Amino acid sequence: MAFSLPPLPYSHNALAAQSMCQETLELHHDKHHNAYVTALNGLIESKGLAGKSLEQICAEAGKAGAEGAPVLNQAGQHYNHILFWQVMSPSGGGDKLPARLAAKIDQDLGGLAQFKEAFKQAGVTQFGSGWAWLIIGTDGKLKVTKTANGANPISTGEGQPILGADVWEHAYYLDFRNVRPGYLDNFLNKLVDWSVVDSLLAEGGLKSGQSA
Ligand code: MN3
């Protein structure tokens, strides 16, 4: 087997009215994400990845530290982008969350407004490239966290991500130039499909279905 680039779950211009333009999605999905998939497939043989799931590879590469970085850079980014495309939709946005997700956010994070502020801060304060996350922590509680470059909460052992925002400049520069806080506000208020996040909560995180 090999890793593959899943198609976007919507057309390339589907999010344009929500400030993620067609050119952003063409470059980000078709070029950037595809490059991670190609590079990861190129490592399967030399790094002994055959037969392993994408999640297993992320966890093992994370545990390996600096030695695992070349694999984690590609495997983490493949996993991270699969999640990223799924948690946005043309009908996303708004503050009406499914009841199960809303109750969990209230209980573990002090409510939707506090969650959004914490998530935005995680993204804004991630120096350089990386990701902001909402995860199911190892204790079963929701938690907001951030990671650098291609890492993710599976590779750090923190838990299972159910929402992720890409804060690499390639994610927002065409639409928001240098204004990362504006991109994150827009992501949280206009783009997130809360029904998908709720499903991922019920499923215990994203199962990518991808393996080497
Ligand atoms: Mn990206």
Side-chain angles (χ1 to χ4, degrees), residues 82-169:
I82 292 171
L83 177 67
F84 185 59
W85 308 129
Q86 288 190 19
V87 296
M88 299 186 290
S89 98
S91 56
D95 284 340
K96 290 192 95 175
L97 275 56
R100 171 178 50 196
L101 176 64
K104 185 76 172 152
I105 287 177
D106 286 348
Q107 187 180 359
D108 294 348
L109 299 171
L112 182 61
Q114 275 183 256
F115 155 67
K116 282 186 182 179
E117 187 55 32
F119 189 94
K120 181 181 170 185
Q121 280 306 307
V124 168
T125 58
Q126 173 52 45
F127 185 76
S129 296
W131 293 76
W133 303 103
L134 174 62
I135 70 170
I136 306 168
T138 51
D139 61 359
K141 291 186 175 171
L142 292 183
K143 188 181 160 191
V144 172
T145 186
K146 61 185 176 182
T147 53
N149 301 319
N152 60 43
I154 295 174
S155 75
T156 61
E158 289 177 283
Q160 298 292 323
I162 60 172
L163 177 67
D166 189 342
V167 299
W168 287 56
E169 285 184 346

Side-chain angles (χ1 to χ4, degrees), residues 3 11 16 21-22 27 29 37 55 65 89 97 100 102 104-105 108 113 117 119 135 145 171-173 202 207 212:
F3 297 103
S11 69
C21 72
Q22 179 166 344
L27 289 167
H29 176 270
V37 175
E55 287 85 338
S89 98
L97 275 56
R100 171 178 50 196
K104 185 76 172 152
I105 287 177
D108 294 348
E117 187 55 32
F119 189 94
I135 70 170
T145 186
Y172 61 87
Y173 229 79
K207 311 291 181 279

Side-chain angles (χ1 to χ4, degrees), residues 28 77 81 131 166 170:
H28 198 174
Q77 286 293 72
H81 286 86
W131 293 76
D166 189 342
H170 67 225

